[in-house]
mmCIF file of all heavy atoms in Angstrom:
data_model
loop_
_atom_site.group_PDB
_atom_site.id
_atom_site.type_symbol
_atom_site.label_atom_id
_atom_site.label_comp_id
_atom_site.label_asym_id
_atom_site.label_seq_id
_atom_site.Cartn_x
_atom_site.Cartn_y
_atom_site.Cartn_z
ATOM 1 N N ILE Q 2 60.124 135.848 79.242
ATOM 2 C CA ILE Q 2 60.321 137.006 80.082
ATOM 3 C C ILE Q 2 60.961 136.635 81.369
ATOM 4 O O ILE Q 2 61.854 137.326 81.877
ATOM 5 C CB ILE Q 2 58.885 137.724 80.356
ATOM 6 C CG1 ILE Q 2 58.382 138.348 79.048
ATOM 7 C CG2 ILE Q 2 59.011 138.715 81.478
ATOM 8 C CD1 ILE Q 2 57.012 138.890 79.176
ATOM 9 N N MET Q 3 60.573 135.500 81.965
ATOM 10 C CA MET Q 3 61.200 135.038 83.199
ATOM 11 C C MET Q 3 62.659 134.751 83.020
ATOM 12 O O MET Q 3 63.466 135.099 83.940
ATOM 13 C CB MET Q 3 60.460 133.761 83.739
ATOM 14 C CG MET Q 3 59.023 134.027 84.172
ATOM 15 S SD MET Q 3 58.857 135.171 85.498
ATOM 16 C CE MET Q 3 59.496 134.195 86.857
ATOM 17 N N GLU Q 10 68.674 139.839 86.707
ATOM 18 C CA GLU Q 10 68.847 139.643 88.138
ATOM 19 C C GLU Q 10 70.236 139.147 88.443
ATOM 20 O O GLU Q 10 70.880 139.676 89.393
ATOM 21 C CB GLU Q 10 67.786 138.708 88.685
ATOM 22 C CG GLU Q 10 67.983 138.325 90.128
ATOM 23 C CD GLU Q 10 67.246 139.212 91.117
ATOM 24 O OE1 GLU Q 10 66.361 139.934 90.668
ATOM 25 O OE2 GLU Q 10 67.582 139.123 92.280
ATOM 26 N N CYS Q 12 72.888 139.639 86.645
ATOM 27 C CA CYS Q 12 73.758 140.760 86.374
ATOM 28 C C CYS Q 12 73.785 141.711 87.575
ATOM 29 O O CYS Q 12 74.861 142.214 87.962
ATOM 30 C CB CYS Q 12 73.378 141.550 85.128
ATOM 31 S SG CYS Q 12 73.682 140.588 83.572
ATOM 32 N N VAL Q 16 77.310 142.158 89.713
ATOM 33 C CA VAL Q 16 78.025 143.429 89.504
ATOM 34 C C VAL Q 16 78.775 143.743 90.824
ATOM 35 O O VAL Q 16 78.242 143.585 91.899
ATOM 36 C CB VAL Q 16 77.153 144.558 89.030
ATOM 37 C CG1 VAL Q 16 76.177 144.999 90.078
ATOM 38 C CG2 VAL Q 16 77.974 145.705 88.511
ATOM 39 N N THR Q 22 92.156 151.082 95.994
ATOM 40 C CA THR Q 22 92.714 151.223 97.367
ATOM 41 C C THR Q 22 93.724 152.350 97.377
ATOM 42 O O THR Q 22 94.001 152.863 98.453
ATOM 43 C CB THR Q 22 93.361 149.935 97.751
ATOM 44 O OG1 THR Q 22 94.307 149.559 96.798
ATOM 45 C CG2 THR Q 22 92.329 148.846 97.974
ATOM 46 N N SER Q 23 94.222 152.815 96.259
ATOM 47 C CA SER Q 23 95.277 153.838 96.254
ATOM 48 C C SER Q 23 94.657 155.285 96.162
ATOM 49 O O SER Q 23 95.423 156.207 96.009
ATOM 50 C CB SER Q 23 96.240 153.602 95.102
ATOM 51 O OG SER Q 23 95.506 153.742 93.860
ATOM 52 N N SER Q 52 58.504 146.423 87.575
ATOM 53 C CA SER Q 52 58.248 146.950 86.274
ATOM 54 C C SER Q 52 58.074 145.846 85.222
ATOM 55 O O SER Q 52 57.337 146.027 84.246
ATOM 56 C CB SER Q 52 59.363 147.934 85.825
ATOM 57 O OG SER Q 52 60.593 147.266 85.766
ATOM 58 N N LEU Q 54 57.914 142.066 86.135
ATOM 59 C CA LEU Q 54 57.111 140.954 86.631
ATOM 60 C C LEU Q 54 55.760 141.393 87.241
ATOM 61 O O LEU Q 54 54.981 140.546 87.601
ATOM 62 C CB LEU Q 54 57.918 140.150 87.669
ATOM 63 C CG LEU Q 54 59.221 139.550 87.128
ATOM 64 C CD1 LEU Q 54 59.953 138.844 88.205
ATOM 65 C CD2 LEU Q 54 58.908 138.623 85.967
ATOM 66 N N ARG Q 55 55.586 142.728 87.400
ATOM 67 C CA ARG Q 55 54.318 143.298 87.952
ATOM 68 C C ARG Q 55 53.980 142.764 89.378
ATOM 69 O O ARG Q 55 52.844 142.552 89.728
ATOM 70 C CB ARG Q 55 53.140 142.935 87.023
ATOM 71 C CG ARG Q 55 53.355 143.407 85.591
ATOM 72 C CD ARG Q 55 53.202 144.912 85.537
ATOM 73 N NE ARG Q 55 52.999 145.377 84.094
ATOM 74 C CZ ARG Q 55 53.692 146.364 83.628
ATOM 75 N NH1 ARG Q 55 54.582 147.019 84.330
ATOM 76 N NH2 ARG Q 55 53.449 146.754 82.373
ATOM 77 N N SER Q 60 53.974 141.728 98.302
ATOM 78 C CA SER Q 60 54.562 140.336 98.115
ATOM 79 C C SER Q 60 55.763 140.230 99.048
ATOM 80 O O SER Q 60 56.403 141.232 99.398
ATOM 81 C CB SER Q 60 55.035 140.200 96.660
ATOM 82 O OG SER Q 60 56.200 140.959 96.367
ATOM 83 N N GLN Q 64 58.668 143.038 99.982
ATOM 84 C CA GLN Q 64 58.792 143.497 101.402
ATOM 85 C C GLN Q 64 60.096 143.195 102.057
ATOM 86 O O GLN Q 64 60.657 144.024 102.747
ATOM 87 C CB GLN Q 64 57.619 142.963 102.299
ATOM 88 C CG GLN Q 64 56.296 143.610 102.052
ATOM 89 C CD GLN Q 64 56.409 145.084 102.269
ATOM 90 O OE1 GLN Q 64 56.624 145.542 103.404
ATOM 91 N NE2 GLN Q 64 56.270 145.892 101.213
ATOM 92 N N PHE Q 65 60.658 142.019 101.743
ATOM 93 C CA PHE Q 65 61.979 141.645 102.248
ATOM 94 C C PHE Q 65 63.053 142.654 101.699
ATOM 95 O O PHE Q 65 63.843 143.233 102.444
ATOM 96 C CB PHE Q 65 62.320 140.231 101.860
ATOM 97 C CG PHE Q 65 63.736 139.867 102.231
ATOM 98 C CD1 PHE Q 65 63.991 139.512 103.498
ATOM 99 C CD2 PHE Q 65 64.718 139.763 101.259
ATOM 100 C CE1 PHE Q 65 65.350 139.197 103.897
ATOM 101 C CE2 PHE Q 65 66.046 139.429 101.601
ATOM 102 C CZ PHE Q 65 66.318 139.080 102.930
ATOM 103 N N ASN Q 67 62.491 145.602 100.424
ATOM 104 C CA ASN Q 67 62.246 146.957 100.847
ATOM 105 C C ASN Q 67 62.715 147.232 102.261
ATOM 106 O O ASN Q 67 63.236 148.288 102.557
ATOM 107 C CB ASN Q 67 60.758 147.319 100.703
ATOM 108 C CG ASN Q 67 60.523 148.773 100.519
ATOM 109 O OD1 ASN Q 67 61.143 149.393 99.683
ATOM 110 N ND2 ASN Q 67 59.566 149.342 101.338
ATOM 111 N N ILE Q 76 71.136 154.572 106.981
ATOM 112 C CA ILE Q 76 72.532 154.847 107.073
ATOM 113 C C ILE Q 76 72.952 156.046 106.206
ATOM 114 O O ILE Q 76 73.696 156.949 106.614
ATOM 115 C CB ILE Q 76 73.322 153.614 106.722
ATOM 116 C CG1 ILE Q 76 73.143 152.456 107.669
ATOM 117 C CG2 ILE Q 76 74.829 153.928 106.551
ATOM 118 C CD1 ILE Q 76 73.616 151.105 107.227
ATOM 119 N N GLY Q 79 71.380 161.834 105.437
ATOM 120 C CA GLY Q 79 72.136 162.663 106.306
ATOM 121 C C GLY Q 79 73.661 162.606 106.042
ATOM 122 O O GLY Q 79 74.438 163.358 106.614
ATOM 123 N N SER Q 80 74.077 161.644 105.231
ATOM 124 C CA SER Q 80 75.518 161.518 104.856
ATOM 125 C C SER Q 80 75.779 162.403 103.644
ATOM 126 O O SER Q 80 74.909 162.981 103.037
ATOM 127 C CB SER Q 80 75.809 160.038 104.588
ATOM 128 O OG SER Q 80 75.346 159.716 103.272
ATOM 129 N N SER Q 84 72.473 163.178 98.537
ATOM 130 C CA SER Q 84 71.907 163.794 97.331
ATOM 131 C C SER Q 84 71.706 162.758 96.183
ATOM 132 O O SER Q 84 71.013 163.079 95.239
ATOM 133 C CB SER Q 84 72.888 164.812 96.782
ATOM 134 O OG SER Q 84 74.135 164.316 96.478
ATOM 135 N N PHE Q 113 64.473 165.073 104.086
ATOM 136 C CA PHE Q 113 65.291 165.163 102.857
ATOM 137 C C PHE Q 113 64.913 166.415 102.099
ATOM 138 O O PHE Q 113 65.771 167.181 101.693
ATOM 139 C CB PHE Q 113 65.009 163.919 102.054
ATOM 140 C CG PHE Q 113 65.925 163.630 100.917
ATOM 141 C CD1 PHE Q 113 67.264 163.989 100.887
ATOM 142 C CD2 PHE Q 113 65.389 162.992 99.749
ATOM 143 C CE1 PHE Q 113 68.061 163.705 99.791
ATOM 144 C CE2 PHE Q 113 66.154 162.703 98.670
ATOM 145 C CZ PHE Q 113 67.538 163.118 98.702
ATOM 146 N N TRP Q 119 64.729 170.302 96.803
ATOM 147 C CA TRP Q 119 64.541 169.917 95.396
ATOM 148 C C TRP Q 119 63.127 169.559 95.058
ATOM 149 O O TRP Q 119 62.477 168.790 95.779
ATOM 150 C CB TRP Q 119 65.483 168.708 95.092
ATOM 151 C CG TRP Q 119 66.917 169.047 95.164
ATOM 152 C CD1 TRP Q 119 67.529 170.271 95.024
ATOM 153 C CD2 TRP Q 119 67.985 168.131 95.433
ATOM 154 N NE1 TRP Q 119 68.871 170.121 95.163
ATOM 155 C CE2 TRP Q 119 69.138 168.839 95.449
ATOM 156 C CE3 TRP Q 119 68.017 166.760 95.678
ATOM 157 C CZ2 TRP Q 119 70.442 168.243 95.628
ATOM 158 C CZ3 TRP Q 119 69.301 166.170 95.875
ATOM 159 C CH2 TRP Q 119 70.459 166.901 95.881
ATOM 160 N N CYS Q 125 58.201 163.284 93.936
ATOM 161 C CA CYS Q 125 58.264 161.865 94.324
ATOM 162 C C CYS Q 125 57.313 161.632 95.509
ATOM 163 O O CYS Q 125 56.563 160.661 95.493
ATOM 164 C CB CYS Q 125 59.672 161.452 94.719
ATOM 165 S SG CYS Q 125 60.765 161.287 93.291
ATOM 166 N N GLN Q 126 57.357 162.489 96.498
ATOM 167 C CA GLN Q 126 56.459 162.325 97.698
ATOM 168 C C GLN Q 126 55.034 162.388 97.327
ATOM 169 O O GLN Q 126 54.193 161.605 97.772
ATOM 170 C CB GLN Q 126 56.807 163.378 98.720
ATOM 171 C CG GLN Q 126 56.100 163.148 100.026
ATOM 172 C CD GLN Q 126 56.438 164.249 101.052
ATOM 173 O OE1 GLN Q 126 56.629 165.425 100.740
ATOM 174 N NE2 GLN Q 126 56.510 163.855 102.307
ATOM 175 N N LEU Q 127 54.666 163.306 96.398
ATOM 176 C CA LEU Q 127 53.306 163.386 95.960
ATOM 177 C C LEU Q 127 52.806 162.124 95.231
ATOM 178 O O LEU Q 127 51.716 161.624 95.476
ATOM 179 C CB LEU Q 127 53.073 164.620 95.068
ATOM 180 C CG LEU Q 127 53.286 165.997 95.764
ATOM 181 C CD1 LEU Q 127 53.267 167.130 94.688
ATOM 182 C CD2 LEU Q 127 52.218 166.226 96.802
ATOM 183 N N SER Q 157 62.576 163.551 87.427
ATOM 184 C CA SER Q 157 63.961 163.318 87.362
ATOM 185 C C SER Q 157 64.424 162.753 88.696
ATOM 186 O O SER Q 157 64.091 163.355 89.734
ATOM 187 C CB SER Q 157 64.710 164.564 87.027
ATOM 188 O OG SER Q 157 66.127 164.366 87.138
ATOM 189 N N ALA Q 159 67.618 162.488 89.318
ATOM 190 C CA ALA Q 159 68.998 162.939 89.505
ATOM 191 C C ALA Q 159 69.038 164.016 90.625
ATOM 192 O O ALA Q 159 68.096 164.676 90.937
ATOM 193 C CB ALA Q 159 69.461 163.608 88.234
#
Side-chain angles (χ1 to χ4, degrees):
I2 291 173
M3 293 299 288
E10 173 91 13
C12 289
V16 68
T22 55
S23 62
S52 64
L54 299 177
R55 305 286 196 227
S60 73
Q64 284 303 294
F65 176 76
N67 206 50
I76 294 167
S80 76
S84 63
F113 190 34
W119 293 336
C125 286
Q126 186 181 37
L127 292 172
S157 170

